[in-house]
Structure formats: structure tokens, C-alpha cells
Amino acid sequence: MASVRYVAIGDSFTEGVGDEMPDGTVRGWADLAAQGWADASGEPILYANLAIRGKLIRPIVEQQLEPALALKPTHLSFNGGGNDMLRPRADIDRIVADFDRVVRRCDEEGVQLIVLSGADPSAGLPLGRVVRARGDRLSRAVEECLARRPDVITAYNWFDRELAGAEFWSVDRLHMNARGHHRVAARVVESIGQTAPPEWWHLPAIPEVLTLKGSVYYREHVAPWVRRRLAGTSSGDGRAPKFDGGWVQVEPQT
């Protein structure tokens, strides 16, 4: 068995939404980091991604954490809370408590934890100042909590002001595009002590990215989100993880 067995849990950020392939599947930073890890180490790694878009942090922890640990990984990456920040009554203390639960379970199972903070989409969002204020509070609270745990690997993205720029975001303004996912992947690869391809930090501009403005943006992206909130549904309802079968082996390509 490969010496590195890496599993990722989370929401759309970790699933890879916004970094769509020509066949319609999503890639994202976790897939890229797994490949970058194998390339940098020169050895194959086992990789699984259990993240599902639209999930609040509590369902991520309750539905994904134990199946991920059951795979017997050496490393587990965790991010959550982004969807909670979009809700009117986001409870920062409860979200941080869920981070604590993941830390505790990884300690109990002897798994190396990698904690990420999401990137900041607020510049392009309606009520962006509210989202940024909540994200600032959450990110600082998580960083303060984990400051006591230097053994936990961290890849913090929220306060990366360059990553917050519009050129790193997809047309829905909520999910990163390929440029954003590559930048996060580079940070993850380097956080584990490997060397990421330097171009991942700032890929060339993506000319095909469109900018929707005014009523078109609200009709295509804001209104469907509002309808789901009113109906009590999620974009992830009924979706299975993209690697539902467990481990895939990632071979070095360089």
C-alpha cells in the first residue's frame, strides 16, 4: 500500500466546483494537490475525495468524517463553514466546535490533519461586506484555536488578498475558477513540505471567463440559491462523492 493515503472532506470548495473539465466533471484544488504531491515526492499516493457541494459544516462532520477515517488515511484535509457564512444566523462558536471535533477524531485515529480556510469571495457577492465580516471572524477564530496545535498542518486562504481578486473566481462569483484552485493547491502542497509548480501560484488569465452583471447575474445565480433556501434544499442533495468507491491511485507524472 502507498505510504501516503490522503482523503479530503468538505463542501464545494473541496469538491472542486468552479474548476470544470471539458466533460463537465469538476477537478479542484484537492485533486490538483494530490497530483502535485505525487509529482513532488516521486511516489504514487492513494487519494479519495468525499466532499459534496452545498454542505453546511455540521453535515460535513457528521456524514463525511467517519467514512473518511474508515479508509485508514495517513492524511485528512478538512474545510467547512463557507455555506454557514451565507446563512443569516451563522454561529461562529458552533462552527469552531466542529473544527475541534475533527481535530479530536484525527488525534484519536493517529491521522495527520490538514486544515484549510476557504478563499474570500465577498468582493463579488451581494451583501459582500457582511460575508467578509463573518469570514474574518471565523478565520481568526480557527487560526487562534489551532495556534496551540503546531502539529496540525494549515493552509490558510481567507486573508490572501490576491486570491480574493475577481480573476481567480468563476462566473457565479462564489466558487474559484481554475486559477484559484491552482493557487490553493500550491499552498497545500507547500504546507506539507513539498514543492509546488511555481506557475500554480498565478496562472495566466482565463480569457473565456464571462462576467455576468445586473439582472442576468441575479437571475442565473442568486435566484436559484434563494429558491433552494426557501425550499430547505441544497445543491448537494442526492449527490454522491465524486470518488464514491474509495481510494484512487495517483501516479507521478514528472
Side-chain angles (χ1 to χ4, degrees), residues 7 46-51 67-68 70-71 240-249:
V7 60
L46 294 181
Y47 168 58
N49 189 326
L50 306 186
L71 294 173
K242 60 183 178 181
F243 292 161
D244 200 22
W247 297 119
V248 297
Q249 183 155 303

Side-chain angles (χ1 to χ4, degrees), residues 67-241:
L69 293 174
L71 294 173
K72 302 299 181 184
T74 58
H75 297 73
L76 180 148
S77 70
F78 170 64
N79 167 265
N83 289 302
D84 299 75
M85 292 296 96
L86 300 176
R87 302 307 198 269
R89 291 179 291 277
D91 186 335
I92 302 296
D93 291 338
R94 183 182 62 78
I95 295 171
V96 172
D98 286 322
F99 274 84
D100 283 339
R101 178 176 170 184
V102 176
V103 172
R104 175 177 56 80
R105 287 294 293 125
C106 285
D107 284 347
E108 292 170 350
E109 298 296 327
V111 175
Q112 175 64 67
L113 177 60
I114 305 168
V115 170
L116 293 88
S117 60
D120 179 3
S122 62
L125 295 179
L127 300 177
R129 294 176 66 179
V130 174
V131 173
R132 173 180 269 194
R134 290 174 178 172
D136 286 352
R137 288 175 54 212
L138 173 59
S139 296
R140 290 193 180 103
V142 171
E143 291 184 25
E144 181 179 346
C145 178
L146 293 179
R148 304 186 298 270
R149 294 294 306 267
D151 55 315
V152 173
I153 295 172
T154 57
Y156 296 139
N157 300 285
W158 184 264
F159 293 110
D160 181 346
R161 295 275 66 89
E162 184 173 3
L163 184 57
E167 67 271 21
F168 290 97
W169 294 85
S170 67
V171 68
D172 70 3
R173 308 183 196 174
L174 186 61
H175 300 99
M176 297 179 302
N177 61 22
R179 298 183 86 208
H181 280 284
H182 276 82
R183 187 173 177 89
V184 171
R187 180 167 283 121
V188 172
V189 170
E190 300 206 346
S191 76
I192 60 175
Q194 302 289 353
T195 301
E199 64 272 17
W200 282 15
W201 287 99
H202 206 298
L203 293 184
I206 303 174
E208 65 271 20
V209 170
L210 301 174
T211 301
L212 299 182
K213 297 181 179 180
S215 61
V216 177
Y217 171 73
Y218 279 84
R219 182 175 66 251
E220 294 195 12
H221 296 289
V222 177
W225 185 89
V226 171
R227 286 195 293 270
R228 289 195 297 271
R229 298 292 75 75
L230 293 175
T233 61
S234 165
S235 58
D237 289 350
R239 296 187 69 92

